[in-house]
Amino acid sequence: MALFKKNIWLIFYILMLFSTVLFCVIAYIKWDSVYLRYQNAQENIVEILANTTQSLFDTQERLMDILGTSITTEKHNFNNPEKISKYALPLLKNPAVTAFGVTRPDGNFVYGSTNEDPSKIINLLKYPASRLSFIEALQSHSMVFGRTYFSPETKSWVMPIRKTIRDSNDQPIVVLTVLLSPTLIFDNLIANIHHKKNLLIAIIRDSDLYPQYLSNDINTLEKAYLTPFTEKDRNNIYETIFHHYGLSSDELKRNEILVSFPHKHADGTHYLASLKFNNNYKIWTIVHTHMNTIIYDFLWVIFTYFLIYLTTGIGFFFLFRLIARADEKRKNDLIFQATHDSLTSLPNRSYLQQAISYWSYKNAPPFSLIYVDMDHFKNINDSFGHQFGDHVLVEISKRLKSICPQDSLIVRYGGDEFVILMNLCEHQALLIFSFQLIELLSKPYNINELNFNISASVGIALYPNHGESLDMLLRSADIALSKSKMIKNSVHIFADTMQDGFLNNIKMEQALRKAITNNELSMVYQPQVNSEGILYGVEALVRWHNPSLGHIPPSHFIPLAETFGLMPHIGRFILETACTQMHELHTTLKHTFHVSINISVRQLMDTDFYTHLINTIERTHIDTLALTLEVTENLFIEDINLILPLLEKIRALGIQISMDDFGTGYSSLSMLKKLPIDEVKIDKSFVDDIVEDLTSQKMVQNIIAIGQNFEMQIIAEGVESIEQKELLHAFGCNKFQGYYFAKPLSKESLLTFIQSQKTSL
Ligand code: C2E
Ligand code: CA
Ligand code: CA
């Protein structure tokens, strides 16, 4: 079937070729049969005419013999016209006989059926039309034909036949002449031939090629009877017959063979001719049919077949075109499906890959690639379901279409990512356009009677400056986008300086993958103290030292590890190292203090996290009651339904949960109430300017009030001065962490720190 559809037109042409050949074969057979039909009919006519003429002439000759004997046996009979007329009566009864006459050898009439006074009839030797045949008759012993001529006596065209009656000494006594009407004889004969109009029947004398009879479709009979066929005509015909039958003229005549052949007249018209020679009377019987008659007949016969051929051809054409079009449509649909996003009907990634050749080619004009990413789109899907998210995406695509120029290309590149190719290239104009775009996308969405906002980030790359291939352009735009993503709801046009950061990140990723096996990661511990400055716990902080990159702060590599998917791996190292080392210190000091371990969002989302936590606790023998996990406030925005049960399970083990960076996120009070939190950590950013900034003071006071309200412990981080500590203490915070007390310390330094504290107590 697929093969059929692929070669549909080829099959059509083969079918048409086949039916054309079939039509030609049918046409050929039909032509042959029509031609043969005409030939057979014509040959029958020739045969009938030849036989009839033969028997007619035989009869006439015999009649004349009898008449002649009757006239001549009784002496002087032939001088008595009355007597002769009596004898001639039976002869004259034949309607084909126009007249009968008896003449002496000198040409003078003894009797003439047309005139009572024979002396008034013109002497046959003197009349040019009769002279030759009269002399011939005098010399011959058999019946002689005269040329057909117009007889003034009978006022008609007549064909004379003459016979000389001789005495016992072979001397001519009288010459009998019978005038036959060729029209009457032959017209009667051919009266029943239905297509006689198309026939030309001729009886031609062989001696001088004058026609004895011509059928009446010749209008100018006079001229025709008076014009003999030429020798050239005759030779032409002989040649054609020889060509067709291989017969010489002699054979043809001698054996009286009936032949048929196509023939071209001197005037250029084509005929189908049939002829036969009568050796006895030396006359040709010829029947011609105009070739056009046969062709018309053939065309009429073949017309029906032609109609069938034509209608099936046209029918097939439309059928095949229908199939081809349906197939074409199906193919186009498939291509459309493959190259378009089914949800928004926007072109998709693979379309972009194909379409890019229309934008970037040698000496192509510059254009821009705008990468649009919706901020926190995942939240919409998670909170309201995918169907709802789909509605939003459709609305986003509508808004994009409404703002982008007609000649731009809008592509749904991924879930909530869109790529726009457009001719706009000037920086200022691009920024203006992008901000308008962001503004439009940030307008409230009303879906299922729900009103909400969502922002978008945009990264732009320019062709050819920021990349000549699609990949390069996308990468550049992506780098610019990631810049925007940090701020959210903003636009960045790619700059080479971003590339450096990007390349650094790539380098760092490669280095980070090897960091654990190369023993480049280590843990430090920053003491946490109470209001008396006495250590009650530590926060475990990771450190990375790479031989070529140097010290890389965790605030830099932790987010990278998260995006590269390395966080579960690194997280395990952190948990294991911190638990092992702090259990060692607990054992050494015979004193258990708290250990707070930072758990990143991605780490917590890892399905194996809980199992690994339990395994680590069992393996390191760390006291779960001394363990605190620090999670950031932002975690709860991600997916509270997933996180909550996990945190409950962790808490059930006796482990405490501390909310890191509290106040920087957007948790609502109602959400806070739901969360299983033991401790709130006031972020360093509030502590930093708490002494001089009233807003920070208010913020810190609020945080403390909330914490106390929910019966949570409160700790402040980043305490660098006694003033900060005093103020925080005054507000109600009684746990502290910061450089003022101690910097993050290695395990060994921590041991020394704790021991020195003990001695100072
Ligand atoms: P964080 O959890 O808020 O950690 C506190 C950061 O403040 C630490 O920086 C600590 O060294 C610093 N700090 C504490 N007191 C002071 C102070 O008085 N003055 C100043 N200037 N800084 C102070 P660090 O170690 O560079 O960590 C930065 C961030 O990296 C952390 O913020 C945390 O979000 C992340 N991080 C560090 N270690 C880990 C870890 O082991 N696991 C995970 N998941 N994240 C970690
Ligand atoms: Ca922390
Ligand atoms: Ca913090």
Side-chain angles (χ1 to χ4, degrees):
M1 196 64 183
L3 202 71
F4 169 72
K5 281 183 179 160
K6 205 173 162 195
N7 300 308
I8 187 143
W9 285 115
L10 184 72
I11 292 168
F12 172 74
Y13 292 131
I14 291 173
L15 212 67
M16 279 321 288
L17 188 77
F18 177 74
S19 46
T20 309
V21 169
L22 190 73
F23 174 71
C24 290
V25 169
I26 291 175
Y28 178 78
I29 293 170
K30 284 289 154 193
W31 167 254
D32 224 40
S33 83
V34 170
Y35 187 88
L36 258 174
R37 181 154 54 79
Y38 271 87
Q39 182 174 319
N40 288 341
Q42 199 168 271
E43 285 179 354
N44 284 341
I45 296 166
V46 172
E47 209 66 81
I48 292 168
L49 280 176
N51 293 343
T52 321
T53 358
Q54 169 74 35
S55 61
L56 177 84
F57 292 156
D58 278 356
T59 320
Q60 292 303 328
E61 190 170 0
R62 224 154 284 146
L63 271 175
M64 278 200 278
D65 280 342
I66 298 165
L67 206 64
T69 325
S70 316
I71 294 170
T72 47
T73 41
E74 275 183 53
K75 206 140 191 196
H76 304 302
N77 253 359
F78 56 87
N79 278 325
N80 186 346
E82 269 178 40
K83 274 241 170 127
I84 296 174
S85 92
K86 253 190 218 160
Y87 287 122
L89 246 154
L91 184 79
L92 287 165
K93 267 190 187 153
N94 183 346
V97 175
T98 326
F100 171 65
V102 182
T103 36
R104 289 205 191 89
D106 62 4
N108 281 329
F109 272 88
V110 189
Y111 167 81
S113 66
T114 52
N115 204 321
E116 283 185 4
D117 185 0
S119 62
K120 286 194 177 147
I121 308 174
I122 195 158
N123 182 299
L124 287 181
L125 272 173
K126 287 176 187 155
Y127 190 51
S130 58
R131 184 182 157 78
L132 268 177
S133 60
F134 188 76
I135 294 170
E136 198 189 331
L138 279 175
Q139 290 161 359
S140 171
H141 282 86
S142 55
M143 193 174 85
V144 166
F145 288 90
R147 266 171 50 197
T148 300
Y149 68 95
F150 191 79
S151 149
E153 307 290 331
T154 62
K155 294 188 180 54
S156 64
W157 286 92
V158 291
M159 180 168 79
I161 46 176
R162 308 183 203 282
K163 175 122 194 190
T164 305
I165 310 295
R166 295 166 194 276
D167 60 14
S168 49
N169 297 327
D170 205 27
Q171 287 305 307
I173 309 170
V174 281
V175 177
L176 305 185
T177 298
V178 172
L179 291 185
L180 293 170
S181 162
T183 335
L184 276 176
I185 302 167
F186 295 106
D187 284 3
N188 276 342
L189 270 179
I190 61 171
N192 295 325
I193 300 168
H194 79 279
H195 64 291
K196 60 176 183 289
K197 267 196 197 138
N198 302 319
L199 295 173
L200 168 63
I201 298 165
I203 293 174
I204 312 283
R205 300 153 60 83
D206 189 48
S207 54
D208 53 10
L209 297 178
Y210 272 96
Q212 289 297 168
Y213 167 73
L214 287 169
S215 60
N216 58 4
D217 73 320
I218 300 288
N219 300 322
T220 48
L221 269 181
E222 187 166 359
K223 196 174 168 237
Y225 276 122
L226 298 178
T227 324
F229 281 76
T230 62
E231 272 303 318
K232 200 177 156 205
D233 284 339
R234 173 155 57 187
N235 291 338
N236 245 342
I237 288 174
Y238 283 159
E239 256 175 50
T240 317
I241 292 168
F242 188 77
H243 175 73
H244 277 269
Y245 294 91
L247 289 171
S248 69
S249 56
D250 266 0
E251 285 173 295
L252 192 67
K253 285 177 178 175
R254 201 175 343 108
N255 301 328
E256 298 190 349
I257 301 169
L258 170 59
V259 287
S260 295
F261 52 91
H263 176 59
K264 188 180 171 190
H265 254 219
D267 64 0
T269 42
H270 288 264
Y271 288 92
L272 168 65
S274 301
L275 56 81
K276 191 176 176 182
F277 189 66
N278 185 322
N279 208 9
N280 206 6
Y281 296 110
K282 310 285 182 226
I283 48 168
W284 294 96
T285 306
I286 303 175
V287 178
H288 272 183
T289 307
H290 204 297
M291 207 55 105
N292 280 355
T293 312
I294 307 176
I295 291 172
Y296 289 142
D297 203 349
F298 160 72
L299 287 180
W300 186 240
V301 170
I302 204 67
F303 182 65
T304 326
Y305 291 93
F306 181 71
L307 273 187
I308 295 171
Y309 165 74
L310 201 70
T311 40
T312 42
I314 292 171
F316 270 132
F317 172 75
F318 282 110
L319 181 74
F320 275 67
R321 198 175 65 167
L322 203 75
I323 298 171
R325 280 190 180 171
D327 193 45
E328 184 77 11
K329 193 186 166 303
R330 203 181 51 84
K331 259 190 225 155
N332 286 344
D333 286 353
L334 277 180
I335 291 173
F336 188 86
Q337 276 168 26
T339 54
H340 287 75
D341 165 45
S342 57
L343 178 68
T344 59
S345 294
L346 285 178
N348 63 14
R349 199 183 273 236
S350 73
Y351 183 94
L352 178 64
Q353 257 145 16
Q354 289 165 36
I356 195 70
S357 55
Y358 292 102
W359 292 77
S360 75
Y361 49 88
K362 202 167 178 245
N363 299 329
F367 64 90
S368 54
L369 186 150
I370 302 176
Y371 207 140
V372 182
D373 188 296
M374 305 311 292
D375 300 328
H376 298 302
F377 190 78
K378 191 176 173 300
N379 291 350
I380 293 180
N381 276 340
D382 291 346
S383 318
F384 305 107
H386 281 268
Q387 220 174 356
F388 190 90
D390 285 352
H391 284 304
V392 180
L393 283 169
V394 171
E395 177 60 27
I396 291 172
S397 73
K398 276 188 197 155
R399 291 187 190 185
L400 285 175
K401 277 187 220 164
S402 74
I403 195 171
C404 291
Q406 278 288 310
D407 56 355
S408 57
L409 173 67
I410 310 168
V411 175
R412 185 174 173 207
Y413 196 69
D416 61 341
E417 292 167 19
F418 298 85
V419 166
I420 303 162
L421 299 189
M422 58 195 280
N423 292 316
L424 203 63
C425 284
E426 205 265 315
H427 274 225
Q428 200 57 34
L430 267 174
L431 288 176
I432 291 172
F433 171 80
S434 302
F435 277 116
Q436 283 170 347
L437 185 98
I438 290 176
E439 197 189 319
L440 181 69
L441 292 179
S442 309
K443 281 195 175 145
Y445 291 76
N446 187 299
I447 286 156
N448 296 350
E449 291 173 7
L450 248 159
N451 241 328
F452 63 93
N453 290 66
I454 176 169
S455 60
S457 300
V458 173
I460 301 171
L462 299 174
Y463 172 89
N465 295 355
H466 302 153
E468 291 192 353
S469 67
L470 178 64
D471 274 355
M472 285 301 291
L473 282 170
L474 279 170
R475 208 186 70 157
S476 303
D478 195 29
I479 293 169
L481 178 69
S482 54
K483 278 261 168 196
S484 304
K485 277 255 145 192
M486 286 179 193
I487 313 168
K488 305 266 184 300
N489 232 13
S490 72
V491 182
H492 279 84
I493 298 177
F494 177 79
D496 288 334
T497 45
M498 295 179 186
Q499 176 102 331
D500 300 340
F502 182 78
L503 284 179
N504 268 342
N505 284 353
I506 292 180
K507 254 197 227 162
M508 212 175 291
E509 182 200 348
Q510 285 161 354
L512 198 55
R513 284 188 189 277
K514 295 181 205 146
I516 298 177
T517 39
N518 290 355
N519 271 331
E520 289 168 17
L521 294 181
S522 61
M523 297 306 298
V524 290
Y525 306 91
Q526 187 174 29
Q528 298 174 328
V529 298
N530 60 19
S531 48
E532 277 88 44
I534 297 167
L535 178 135
Y536 79 93
V538 292
E539 179 182 3
L541 296 159
V542 70
R543 291 290 173 262
W544 178 26
H545 179 82
N546 178 276
S548 58
L549 297 170
H551 281 288
I552 302 123
S555 51
H556 192 165
F557 74 83
I558 296 283
L560 278 181
E562 290 205 330
T563 42
F564 298 143
L566 297 170
M567 206 49 220
H569 191 51
I570 293 175
R572 269 177 227 145
F573 165 83
I574 292 167
L575 198 66
E576 281 168 22
T577 318
C579 289
T580 312
Q581 291 187 341
M582 289 306 99
H583 181 253
E584 278 168 23
L585 275 196
H586 287 170
T587 323
T588 317
L589 292 165
K590 294 190 181 69
H591 160 63
T592 306
F593 52 85
H594 264 96
V595 185
S596 287
I597 301 175
N598 291 287
I599 304 295
S600 90
V601 177
R602 294 276 156 262
Q603 207 180 335
L604 207 63
M605 297 291 208
D606 187 23
T607 43
D608 291 340
F609 176 77
Y610 183 73
T611 332
H612 179 255
L613 178 69
I614 297 207
N615 287 346
T616 313
I617 293 165
E618 280 174 3
R619 221 161 351 102
T620 57
H621 307 292
I622 189 104
D623 184 357
T624 50
L625 294 176
L627 211 53
T628 300
L629 298 189
E630 285 191 18
V631 289
T632 60
E633 188 191 356
N634 287 337
L635 175 73
F636 299 103
I637 301 169
E638 284 284 330
D639 197 338
I640 191 154
N641 295 328
L642 201 84
I643 301 291
L644 257 178
L646 177 64
L647 291 185
E648 295 285 12
K649 261 162 73 182
I650 292 169
R651 264 181 110 214
L653 296 173
I655 301 171
Q656 293 186 20
I657 308 288
S658 171
M659 189 186 266
D660 209 354
D661 307 333
F662 192 73
T664 58
Y666 309 92
S667 351
S668 62
L669 274 180
S670 58
M671 196 199 269
L672 204 61
K673 201 175 154 188
K674 280 197 227 166
L675 298 174
I677 290 166
D678 305 281
E679 182 185 76
V680 175
K681 206 164 184 185
I682 301 168
D683 192 64
K684 182 178 166 296
S685 57
F686 301 116
V687 178
D688 281 344
D689 48 11
I690 191 169
V691 180
E692 56 276 358
D693 186 49
L694 267 177
T695 327
S696 286
Q697 286 179 16
K698 276 257 167 325
M699 191 71 198
V700 170
Q701 279 175 308
N702 276 339
I703 295 169
I704 294 170
I706 291 164
Q708 285 171 343
N709 229 343
F710 292 118
E711 292 174 347
M712 296 166 186
Q713 298 180 46
I714 295 143
I715 177 167
E717 68 176 6
V719 183
E720 293 184 351
S721 65
I722 177 79
E723 289 84 9
Q724 289 171 337
K725 188 235 155 181
E726 293 296 318
L727 204 55
L728 285 162
H729 187 57
F731 289 154
C733 172
N734 39 30
K735 285 181 176 182
F736 310 92
Q737 179 187 340
Y739 291 177
Y740 176 69
F741 305 100
K743 287 199 169 183
L745 306 166
S746 66
K747 179 189 146 192
E748 293 73 27
S749 311
L750 180 65
L751 179 66
T752 325
F753 177 84
I754 297 174
Q755 279 168 342
S756 71
Q757 256 206 348
K758 271 189 179 164
T759 45
S760 70
L761 277 172

